[in-house]
Amino acid sequence: MMEMGDWWRRGKWRIMVMLTMLHIVGILIFTRGFLLTRTELPYYSNCSDVSESPCFTGQSNPYQNQSNSRCWTRPAVDRLVIIVLDALRFDFVAPSTFFKEPKPWMDKLQVLQKLASTKRSARIFKAIADPPTTSLQRLKGLTTGGLPTFIDVGNSFGAPAILEDNLIHQLASNGKRVVMMGDDTWVQLFPHHFKKSYPYPSFNVKDLHTVDNGCIEHLLPSLYEEDWDVLIAHFLGVDHAGHILGVDSVPMIEKLEQYNEILDKVIEVLDNQSGPGGLHENTFLLVMGDHGQTINGDHGGGSAEEVETSVFAMSFKKPPPTMPSEFDTSSCEMDLDQKKTCISSFQQLDFAATVSALLGVPFPFGSIGRVSPELYTLGAGTWNLENNIEGNCPNQKEEEWMQNYCNVLCINSWQVKRYIDIYSASSVIGFSSEDLLHISDMYAQAEENWSCSSESLLLFKDESCYSSLPLKRKIDAYFKFLLNVAELARSKWTEFDLKMMGIGFVIILISLPIYFLAMMTKSVNGFSSLLFGDSEIFVKLVFALFMVVIRACSFLSNSYILEEGKVASFLLATTAMFKLRNSIKREKMLVEAIVFLLLITILRFTIEVGLSKQAATSLFMSTHSSWLVEIDPGHPVWIYMAEIIPILALIFLAYLLYIIMARSSCHSIWKYVVLGTILCYILIAVHWASESDVLSSMLMLQGIGRNFIPRIIYAVGLGQLLLLAFSPLFHKDRDLESKMHLLIKTLAMLSSCSSTIIVLSGKQGPLVALVTITGGYCIMRLGNIDRGSTDKVAGILTFDPLSVTQWSLLATCLFFVTGHWCAFDGLRYGAAFIGYDEFVLVRQAILLMIDTFGFSHIIPVFGLPFLVARQKLLGHTDQDGRLLLLQLSQMYLMYGLITAASVIATILCVIIQRRHLMVWGLFAPKFVFDVVGLILTDILICLAWFYYVGRREDGTQLTTLDHRD
Amino acid sequence: MPNVGLDNNLYENIVETIVRSVRNELENFKNQIKAEMTENMKLRHMIAMDDIRNPKKVKLESIEGDDDGINQLEVTMCPLVILFYSCFRKNPEKCSYLKAVIRGVLALPIGALVNALGAIALGAPVGIQYFPKTVNWSLLMSLFTFVPAASVFGSSWEDWRRIFAHTKPNASVDYMICLPAHGAVIGAWFGAWPMPLDWERPWQEWPICVSYGAMAGYLITMVLSFVLVLPRGRQQHPKAD
């Protein structure tokens, strides 16, 4: 027990390193389960690829010679009309008899129901989408035939255009003319692919009609045109009506009735021209939803209501196609008119492959779907009946169909296999080798024995009819292979690994009690004295913990995450008011308290400016900052102010440093470091002056290289850090624990970091630095309010817990003040190119990292000793270094605890909200930022500890001190 | 001392009137909420009826309706609070009833200013269209916090410090000032929490939910202070006789 205690006591650095490792391990495990990643491959399918497939060996392909236009599969339909009704629930389309009880929004699209029940060439499908069920991801999934994830690693990072191989690309590159109308997301995704497009803005959710009316305006006239092969019309009204009013509302029903009318007209037009030689002789109509929606109109998650959407397919070919009964998986019910309606099931994953097969274009390279038998039949069921109608086998039609379908499946399986193989070879996080082996096995099984061709089937020919048995077996084998691949891909790309997430979370959670234990090592009875003795500190501790807990809880809602900066400043202002109350109570440091409050007010306004910037790019928020409008940014006075104030602030900072250096007697090495910083500040001022139009003309500074000064500053900063790191080698005096020394060390460290951070932050840098200094000073002074009255170190906490909380909240505020927010578009990419023109990943990433986390993580962690050192200077006069060390360690632990607690809350929220609409838009970026911040904080705390304290704790000196008490 | 007895009678009368007015206010709230709900329905209907050209306008109108409610509340409560607390002025022999009332009236704008500054530090929206709302709200807060203290204590810094910084109420009046004031501030603080949520309800606008929070906190702590004070009054009563 004693040894254990000694270990705890002596090895603070060990605990810190251990906590860091714990966090890293936990986060890695959690991330593996949570952040699903998929690599986008830059390959495209080509018509000629198919010769590599095993499907056309020898003379087995009877159609190859017949038509040269043929690519992968024989085109079955000439023209395709796709009408996408956004957020089309399954029960909008299916007859209400399929559900337990009829609801007001059912049976509104009666034209579809009627056709499905009366015509053989029309059918309703229940389409299952894969989460995330947001329009953008779904469109991507539908066209690529893949499963989009949060991080689709690829070239399209940031830009929405799909660079992966996709259906629209294949259509365009194979000479199909595509016309698009409606939702402008399509144009964002496929900027150059459409022959004609009529995009309408999809942004305004409250606008139910613009997109739809635009669609209607162009849809019917286009149907009479000849200049397209594929027509896409994307209606948004139902989605928007759901978002603002929910499913059970009057506008929703009105919308559905409107669609019914439009669809009726569309089908009438198509039907009228479907005669021989007509414009729509061989046209295929698809009316489909991209995803479903809940009763409240939300979508994005994976609940049944959200993923179940519908496809209505109809062929206008005469005569109508037939469907072999073996592959018909439909379920039938009587509809309202007592007619039999059958509904089949369909995976959206299969859409790209099926449509490609129908139109005869290559399947998208990354497609892992299967050509759906039922949908394919509707389009291609009877395509060669004309030739073989005189056959005397009763089931010859089915034979022909199956043979054709088997061929299609062969190509399909080959393409999927090719994708899986290449993906595993080129992706860092591919599939496991067992899974790959399993899949290869199944593919080999499907491929062996027979080919689909009629020659090999001759063996099984009895009399004049083919035996369908081997064909069916083969098709089943292909099915098995394709379904297995889809299942594997789903588990890899859409399902969170809850077990991993749980383990990771628990590992991170374990760090919390360790923090508490490590903070309480001084004495066990300290705890009781904390509870019953010093009520002041106890109240503060409770208040501080309350703030931390309430901030952590706020992450449960997406709204609070969006406005995290405001929440932090709100809490900081609350603590400041608490301090003001205290200072009134003690009747001292009133000025500091009020200055601090004013400072927070300034911070708060700056954060709002940042939020308004975020709102401009974010889909999720709209901020109104009315008071911003009053300042006209174009006014010359403001331009001058914007140029000059940062430089003045910088000069003031340099002056401040100089004053402090001049007043304190310290070692030459620290002096050199600080002098270097002052030099850097001057250089930065010169740099900015040379960049600005206003000043450069005055100072004639244009000539100096733009990149030269920042590089010097980076170099000086690095040199300073190295000097500081090796400073123990230069002098080894024993009075290291003295508060003055600690103060100087902190100052040197901060100053050497600050120049780089300031130059990266741009013009706001020196102002933010001033704010940080003022805020830090106020927090430190206010932390001392009660120190004078209770002149003893009572309880386990030797410091004011509220001060550390404030320091941490201030750090959070600074993150937002410097114009960042927790999203990838919140990174200030410009900062990465200060001093460099060309892009080198590691170098630019480091610069971006320093800019992003400089003021919010690096400076606060290294500046924490100020709170300790000044406290000691004011309160006590004894030179007890042990107490100083204890305070320092407890403060660092407390700081780490606060950071870890909020990150744990974020992780918990991510677990709870993993199926939330905004999980990828909001929670996941927040998670990434928080996690990186936590690891950085941990590492910085370790570094700071080594720098300020080193391993001195292990020395014998402390053991003797321990024996004394 | 008949004076105290009279005071106590007065006190009980006032308690009764307060209780009645509180009940009235609650009734008002209920009506307000009902009205707001119908307003809400109307808003939804408006959107539904395709009149969505200017949803903001509809929203603002409904909010202004709410502001009126708060205004009314202030107008009715202000004289009540000032007159009521002025009865308990400190040193009644030195300071006349009228003087206490004047002190209360004077404290109203000063307290409003302090409250408004506090709210802005915490993040209250600033802008021309918010100005009247902020003024309304801060007057209300001032009524809850500063006015009673000013009526009772005047400019005695020691007493103010004792009540607001140390939170050490001694006399029954102290309880009736200290607790509701703290309750109102804490209630307002909690009332601000629903504001960032994306429910898009009209009451989430500044300062409606903050006012509701303040009023709720005020009412709860008012009742609490009565509970704490009434036994004391009874104890003091026989002693006085």
Side-chain angles (χ1 to χ4, degrees):
Chain A
M1 192 64 207
M2 188 60 203
E3 277 168 26
M4 186 69 184
D6 271 2
W7 190 84
W8 275 123
R9 211 166 306 172
R10 281 200 232 144
K12 278 278 152 45
W13 66 273
R14 282 195 204 116
I15 294 171
M16 285 166 187
V17 172
M18 191 179 85
L19 283 168
T20 310
M21 300 314 282
L22 206 63
H23 285 157
I24 290 175
V25 169
I27 285 166
L28 279 183
I29 293 176
F30 184 86
T31 310
R32 242 190 114 74
F34 174 64
L35 284 186
L36 314 160
T37 49
R38 190 177 68 102
T39 313
E40 284 181 6
L41 299 182
Y43 306 112
Y44 294 87
S45 299
N46 286 313
C47 267
S48 52
D49 294 349
V50 86
S51 57
E52 297 160 21
S53 80
C55 306
F56 299 122
T57 46
Q59 290 300 309
S60 61
N61 180 14
Y63 312 111
Q64 200 150 40
N65 305 325
Q66 284 174 15
S67 66
N68 289 326
S69 64
R70 182 160 180 277
C71 189
W72 282 26
T73 55
R74 177 172 162 172
V77 298
D78 295 337
R79 306 181 90 189
L80 178 65
V81 177
I82 303 175
I83 295 177
V84 182
L85 306 178
D86 213 292
L88 187 76
R89 283 165 65 95
F90 174 55
D91 58 3
F92 286 166
V93 179
S96 56
T97 44
F98 279 78
F99 304 96
K100 271 183 207 148
E101 48 179 326
K103 290 276 165 56
W105 57 83
M106 291 179 182
D107 294 323
K108 295 296 170 215
L109 299 173
Q110 288 194 340
V111 57
L112 302 185
Q113 295 180 2
K114 214 172 81 198
L115 286 169
S117 62
T118 53
K119 291 211 175 185
R120 262 197 305 155
S121 61
R123 173 160 291 193
I124 292 172
F125 292 87
K126 179 194 221 172
I128 310 292
D130 288 294
T133 50
T134 52
S135 289
L136 189 120
Q137 310 276 16
R138 275 298 85 221
L139 291 186
K140 197 169 178 184
L142 280 171
T143 51
T144 58
L147 297 162
T149 58
F150 171 55
I151 303 176
D152 278 356
V153 184
N155 304 327
S156 61
F157 195 71
I162 299 180
L163 295 180
E164 240 181 324
D165 193 8
N166 59 70
L167 180 63
I168 309 293
H169 170 85
Q170 288 299 342
L171 290 174
S173 57
N174 285 286
K176 301 279 181 193
R177 298 157 297 176
V178 187
V179 173
M180 196 285 307
M181 57 197 69
D183 188 351
D184 58 356
T185 313
W186 284 88
V187 185
Q188 289 168 20
L189 293 177
F190 311 104
H192 313 298
H193 300 71
F194 297 117
K195 180 168 175 290
K196 254 195 270 179
S197 61
Y198 307 99
Y200 293 91
S202 58
F203 187 69
N204 185 3
V205 177
K206 288 192 175 129
D207 181 355
L208 298 182
H209 299 299
T210 307
V211 177
D212 289 4
N213 291 343
C215 269
I216 296 164
E217 191 187 322
H218 295 289
L219 177 57
L220 288 172
S222 297
L223 292 179
Y224 294 103
E225 305 277 335
E226 261 183 275
D227 60 348
W228 52 266
D229 299 299
V230 177
L231 185 147
I232 299 166
H234 193 138
F235 289 81
L236 274 178
V238 164
D239 181 54
H240 286 182
H243 275 307
I244 53 172
L245 299 163
V247 168
D248 194 0
S249 63
V250 182
M252 177 66 85
I253 287 162
E254 284 171 0
K255 268 283 146 199
L256 290 172
E257 280 164 354
Q258 185 194 6
Y259 288 170
N260 191 45
E261 268 174 53
I262 297 163
L263 291 172
D264 197 20
K265 279 183 203 159
V266 168
I267 290 167
E268 200 187 308
V269 171
L270 293 176
D271 211 26
N272 284 342
Q273 306 200 34
S274 64
L279 207 51
H280 296 293
E281 189 187 351
N282 190 11
T283 298
F284 197 59
L285 170 72
L286 284 171
V287 178
M288 60 187 297
D290 53 352
H291 50 75
Q293 57 179 322
T294 62
I295 294 292
N296 298 325
D298 300 327
H299 54 87
S303 72
E305 281 183 315
E306 291 161 89
V307 299
E308 283 179 9
T309 177
S310 190
V311 171
F312 168 84
M314 182 171 180
S315 165
F316 291 91
K317 201 184 324 189
K318 308 258 164 73
T322 51
M323 154 74 92
S325 50
E326 295 99 48
F327 299 108
D328 198 346
T329 56
S330 60
S331 66
C332 299
E333 292 269 347
M334 291 299 160
D335 71 358
L336 292 177
D337 305 329
Q338 294 307 310
K339 282 183 189 146
K340 200 172 138 196
T341 305
C342 292
I343 289 183
S344 315
S345 170
F346 174 74
Q347 297 284 332
Q348 274 198 349
L349 187 66
D350 303 340
F351 179 81
T354 310
V355 170
S356 301
L358 282 174
L359 286 169
V361 296
F363 299 2
F365 189 86
S367 161
I368 48 168
R370 154 186 86 132
V371 175
S372 157
E374 284 135 320
L375 197 58
Y376 187 69
T377 319
L378 275 178
T382 52
W383 63 334
N384 48 5
L385 267 188
E386 300 91 332
N387 311 333
N388 302 344
I389 203 87
E390 69 279 1
N392 52 2
C393 291
N395 52 357
Q396 175 151 11
K397 278 195 286 183
E398 283 185 18
E399 273 325 303
E400 291 284 343
W401 180 85
M402 263 161 62
Q403 193 183 323
N404 177 48
Y405 183 56
C406 180
N407 260 322
V408 170
L409 275 187
C410 175
I411 297 171
N412 189 355
S413 303
W414 162 77
Q415 170 262 329
V416 169
K417 179 75 173 44
R418 176 181 68 164
Y419 173 66
I420 295 291
D421 286 344
I422 294 184
Y423 181 84
S424 314
S426 59
S427 169
V428 188
I429 323 164
F431 297 98
S432 74
S433 50
E434 302 159 45
D435 290 333
L436 279 178
L437 209 67
H438 183 55
I439 281 186
S440 299
D441 238 28
M442 266 187 296
Y443 184 66
Q445 259 177 37
E447 277 302 315
E448 67 187 2
N449 300 337
W450 312 283
S451 98
C452 303
S453 62
S454 41
E455 276 86 2
S456 52
L457 289 171
L458 282 175
L459 293 172
F460 302 93
K461 213 173 174 182
D462 56 347
E463 316 263 309
S464 63
C465 296
Y466 301 122
S467 157
S468 63
L469 200 65
L471 253 183
K472 213 156 68 184
R473 248 195 273 163
K474 190 159 177 66
I475 289 177
D476 283 343
Y478 281 134
F479 273 11
K480 198 174 153 207
F481 164 71
L482 288 166
L483 292 177
N484 263 292
V485 169
E487 192 187 333
L488 175 68
R490 280 213 177 87
S491 70
K492 177 86 187 161
W493 288 324
T494 66
E495 275 168 31
F496 297 116
D497 192 342
L498 276 180
K499 217 162 120 195
M500 289 277 243
M501 285 165 80
I503 292 170
F505 179 69
V506 168
I507 289 177
I508 304 170
L509 201 62
I510 287 172
S511 69
L512 279 191
I514 295 179
Y515 274 117
F516 278 113
L517 279 176
M519 271 163 69
M520 279 198 264
T521 46
K522 195 189 172 197
S523 57
V524 184
N525 46 4
F527 191 65
S528 55
S529 78
L530 176 81
L531 280 180
F532 308 111
D534 196 348
S535 67
E536 282 286 340
I537 281 225
F538 180 62
V539 167
K540 278 185 182 169
L541 186 67
V542 168
F543 191 67
L545 286 181
F546 178 67
M547 287 295 137
V548 173
V549 167
I550 214 163
R551 188 169 120 77
C553 289
S554 77
F555 294 142
L556 269 173
S557 166
N558 54 319
S559 312
Y560 292 124
I561 291 182
L562 271 176
E563 315 228 357
E564 195 192 342
K566 276 189 186 175
V567 173
S569 79
F570 179 79
L571 293 177
L572 186 59
T574 309
T575 58
M577 283 175 183
F578 186 83
K579 287 280 184 182
L580 178 67
R581 185 171 169 275
N582 264 3
S583 79
I584 290 174
K585 206 195 272 183
R586 303 257 178 252
E587 282 193 311
K588 56 182 185 184
M589 296 179 206
L590 257 176
V591 182
E592 281 90 344
I594 290 168
V595 165
F596 192 43
L597 261 178
L598 284 178
L599 192 81
I600 293 164
T601 314
I602 295 169
L603 286 184
R604 178 237 134 159
F605 283 120
T606 325
I607 288 171
E608 264 174 41
V609 177
L611 278 179
S612 66
K613 257 189 261 162
Q614 179 184 2
T617 56
S618 172
L619 285 172
F620 307 122
M621 62 190 300
S622 55
T623 318
H624 37 76
S625 40
S626 50
W627 52 273
L628 278 177
V629 186
E630 292 152 34
I631 302 165
D632 175 23
H635 199 271
V637 173
W638 291 115
I639 295 175
Y640 266 99
M641 294 276 270
E643 300 285 357
I644 290 172
I645 285 183
I647 294 177
L648 287 182
L650 206 56
I651 293 169
F652 180 69
L653 273 179
Y655 176 71
L656 212 64
L657 268 183
Y658 179 75
I659 292 286
I660 295 171
M661 279 320 291
R663 282 200 185 160
S664 59
S665 55
C666 61
H667 266 279
S668 51
I669 183 166
W670 313 119
K671 230 165 200 158
Y672 287 132
V673 169
V674 175
L675 274 178
T677 307
I678 293 173
L679 183 75
C680 279
Y681 285 171
I682 294 167
L683 279 177
I684 295 172
V686 170
H687 175 58
W688 285 343
S690 71
E691 271 189 344
S692 78
D693 304 330
V694 186
L695 293 177
S696 58
S697 54
M698 252 190 290
L699 301 173
M700 310 292 281
L701 282 167
Q702 206 71 54
I704 299 175
R706 200 158 46 86
N707 293 335
F708 195 52
I709 292 177
R711 286 187 199 176
I712 293 182
I713 290 163
Y714 302 149
V716 171
L718 199 66
Q720 283 171 318
L721 285 182
L722 285 177
L723 200 64
L724 290 179
F726 292 109
S727 62
L729 301 179
F730 298 122
H731 53 88
K732 288 181 179 160
D733 38 359
R734 297 304 304 174
D735 66 331
L736 286 181
E737 283 84 14
S738 81
K739 67 236 158 174
M740 199 59 204
H741 189 80
L742 186 63
L743 201 67
I744 294 292
K745 250 180 147 174
T746 315
L747 185 72
M749 191 61 174
L750 284 185
S751 67
S752 57
C753 296
S754 67
S755 52
T756 307
I757 294 172
I758 285 176
V759 79
L760 283 176
S761 303
K763 299 253 160 77
Q764 57 178 345
L767 297 174
V768 179
L770 273 181
V771 165
T772 316
I773 291 171
T774 321
Y777 179 76
C778 289
I779 290 174
M780 177 260 295
R781 292 276 293 169
L782 290 171
N784 281 320
I785 287 181
D786 308 319
R787 194 58 54 182
S789 62
T790 55
D791 204 18
K792 60 183 188 335
V793 184
I796 45 166
L797 291 177
T798 51
F799 62 99
D800 184 355
L802 204 52
S803 298
V804 182
T805 314
Q806 280 181 324
W807 190 241
S808 155
L809 283 173
L810 183 68
T812 313
C813 285
L814 285 174
F815 179 77
F816 293 95
V817 165
T818 44
H820 299 97
W821 57 89
C822 289
F824 294 112
D825 55 351
L827 294 170
R828 299 172 65 250
Y829 290 105
F833 294 97
I834 293 177
Y836 297 95
D837 287 327
E838 67 278 25
F839 180 80
V840 176
L841 184 71
V842 175
R843 186 178 68 199
Q844 260 58 43
I846 288 173
L847 289 184
L848 195 61
M849 189 99 163
I850 293 175
D851 168 65
T852 308
F853 295 108
F855 274 115
S856 56
H857 290 78
I858 298 173
I859 295 271
V861 170
F862 281 123
L864 202 60
F866 266 129
L867 298 186
V868 185
R870 290 293 298 187
Q871 251 175 19
K872 289 285 292 173
L873 274 183
L874 290 169
H876 299 264
T877 48
D878 63 337
Q879 293 276 329
D880 194 355
R882 200 171 71 96
L883 191 63
L884 193 71
L885 279 183
L886 189 71
Q887 276 192 336
L888 196 62
S889 70
Q890 287 191 338
M891 276 194 163
Y892 268 120
L893 285 169
M894 174 101 185
Y895 191 85
L897 173 69
I898 292 170
T899 316
S902 62
V903 175
I904 284 171
T906 309
I907 292 175
L908 186 67
C909 300
V910 161
I911 296 178
I912 294 171
Q913 310 270 32
R914 65 185 181 279
R915 289 297 178 199
H916 190 273
L917 167 66
M918 292 175 185
V919 68
W920 302 123
L922 202 70
F923 290 106
K926 165 81 183 144
F927 165 78
V928 171
F929 272 82
D930 265 17
V931 155
V932 173
L934 174 66
I935 293 176
L936 194 69
T937 307
D938 281 338
I939 292 172
L940 285 173
I941 287 178
C942 290
L943 288 179
W945 188 252
F946 279 120
Y947 169 67
Y948 291 124
V949 181
R951 293 179 169 201
R952 208 165 303 115
E953 267 183 310
D954 302 20
T956 48
Q957 171 204 9
L958 271 184
T959 340
T960 54
L961 274 170
D962 272 348
H963 285 309
R964 211 169 53 189
D965 44 49
Chain B
M1 274 166 81
N3 198 9
V4 177
L6 190 104
D7 232 14
N8 263 351
N9 265 343
L10 181 73
Y11 175 76
E12 268 158 30
N13 277 341
I14 290 169
V15 165
E16 227 180 270
T17 43
I18 291 269
V19 166
R20 205 173 297 143
S21 70
V22 162
R23 202 178 292 149
N24 278 344
E25 284 312 322
L26 279 178
E27 200 66 31
N28 270 355
F29 273 146
K30 234 193 241 166
N31 290 338
Q32 252 179 45
I33 288 166
K34 258 186 209 161
E36 184 189 292
M37 277 169 82
T38 48
E39 194 76 22
N40 207 356
M41 295 291 281
K42 232 191 268 169
L43 177 78
R44 288 202 147 209
H45 197 64
M46 294 279 267
I47 295 175
M49 292 325 283
D50 202 358
D51 191 0
I52 48 166
R53 282 291 133 96
N54 213 342
K56 198 123 199 175
K57 203 178 130 203
V58 182
K59 221 169 160 184
L60 282 180
E61 269 166 16
S62 75
I63 291 160
E64 270 155 27
D66 252 300
D67 258 11
D68 281 347
I70 291 170
N71 262 341
Q72 270 177 18
L73 184 81
E74 265 174 54
V75 172
T76 47
M77 269 197 77
C78 181
L80 221 71
V81 168
I82 295 179
L83 293 177
F84 171 64
Y85 279 103
S86 297
C87 301
F88 301 102
R89 64 199 177 276
K90 224 180 164 191
N91 303 332
E93 53 278 1
K94 279 186 197 164
C95 170
S96 71
Y97 187 76
L98 187 68
K99 200 177 164 191
V101 170
I102 292 171
R103 282 195 311 221
V105 173
L106 279 179
L108 191 63
I110 299 170
L113 186 69
V114 172
N115 273 303
L117 287 179
I120 287 170
L122 283 169
V126 181
I128 294 160
Q129 83 262 35
Y130 291 108
F131 185 71
K133 294 170 199 224
T134 310
V135 168
N136 269 345
W137 174 83
S138 49
L139 285 175
L140 185 79
M141 286 305 285
S142 172
L143 204 60
F144 289 158
T145 52
F146 269 62
V147 171
S151 289
V152 174
F153 301 123
S155 56
S156 156
W157 176 243
E158 277 307 310
D159 284 315
W160 281 78
R161 218 161 64 101
R162 180 167 55 84
I163 296 297
F164 289 113
H166 287 279
T167 325
K168 279 180 186 156
N170 295 328
S172 357
V173 190
D174 291 358
Y175 275 100
M176 295 192 49
I177 295 168
C178 175
L179 287 183
H182 281 82
V185 171
I186 293 170
W189 191 86
F190 278 106
W193 277 93
M195 277 176 68
L197 290 171
D198 57 357
W199 300 341
E200 300 203 350
R201 295 296 152 89
W203 53 261
Q204 279 179 293
E205 285 285 319
W206 164 259
I208 297 165
C209 54
V210 182
S211 308
Y212 285 173
M215 283 186 259
Y218 184 73
L219 288 180
I220 291 168
T221 42
M222 201 63 179
V223 171
L224 191 73
S225 70
F226 276 134
V227 171
L228 286 175
V229 166
L230 279 178
R232 280 177 171 241
R234 294 238 173 80
Q235 273 174 12
Q236 278 169 6
H237 201 72
K239 266 186 214 163
D241 277 340

